[in-house]
């Protein structure tokens, strides 16, 4: 069974980008900040966050994605 994780960009600054994410488009109740220089994500482990997939999409597309869904 696939587990879906939705995310939406809420802030994009020179050095950081912030996303809200959660189990549905309507329930984005977790927050994630990514440093654009080091690609470090806060909060970090423990637990799952979509940081790795968002960073991968940003590097492939040369821009930070506005919204998306990740299946695991």
């Amino acid at each position: 069974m696939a587990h879906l994780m939705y995310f939406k960009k809420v802030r994009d600054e020179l050095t950081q980008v912030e996303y809200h994410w959660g189990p549905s488009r309507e329930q984005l109740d977790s927050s994630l900040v990514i440093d654009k220089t080091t690609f470090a994500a806060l909060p970090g482990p423990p637990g799952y966050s979509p940081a790795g997939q968002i960073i991968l999409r940003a590097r492939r597309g040369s821009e930070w994605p506005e919204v998306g869904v990740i299946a695991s």
Side-chain angles (χ1 to χ4, degrees):
M1 186 168 136
H3 180 76
L4 299 179
M5 189 65 54
Y6 294 84
F7 63 89
K8 179 181 180 180
K9 183 168 58 173
V10 295
R11 179 172 60 91
D12 191 349
E13 297 177 352
L14 186 61
T15 60
Q16 295 181 333
V17 61
E18 181 178 1
Y19 287 90
H20 287 175
W21 61 278
S24 71
R25 287 182 182 99
E26 296 78 27
Q27 189 179 352
L28 302 175
D29 52 7
S30 297
S31 181
L32 169 70
V33 177
I34 301 171
D35 183 295
K36 290 181 173 182
T37 305
T38 64
F39 297 107
L42 297 173
Y48 174 79
S49 83
Q53 288 295 314
I54 292 172
I55 292 167
L56 182 63
R57 291 177 188 193
R59 295 179 97 168
R60 286 182 179 165
S62 299
E63 64 183 14
W64 294 92
E66 293 293 325
V67 296
V69 62
I70 298 166
S72 61

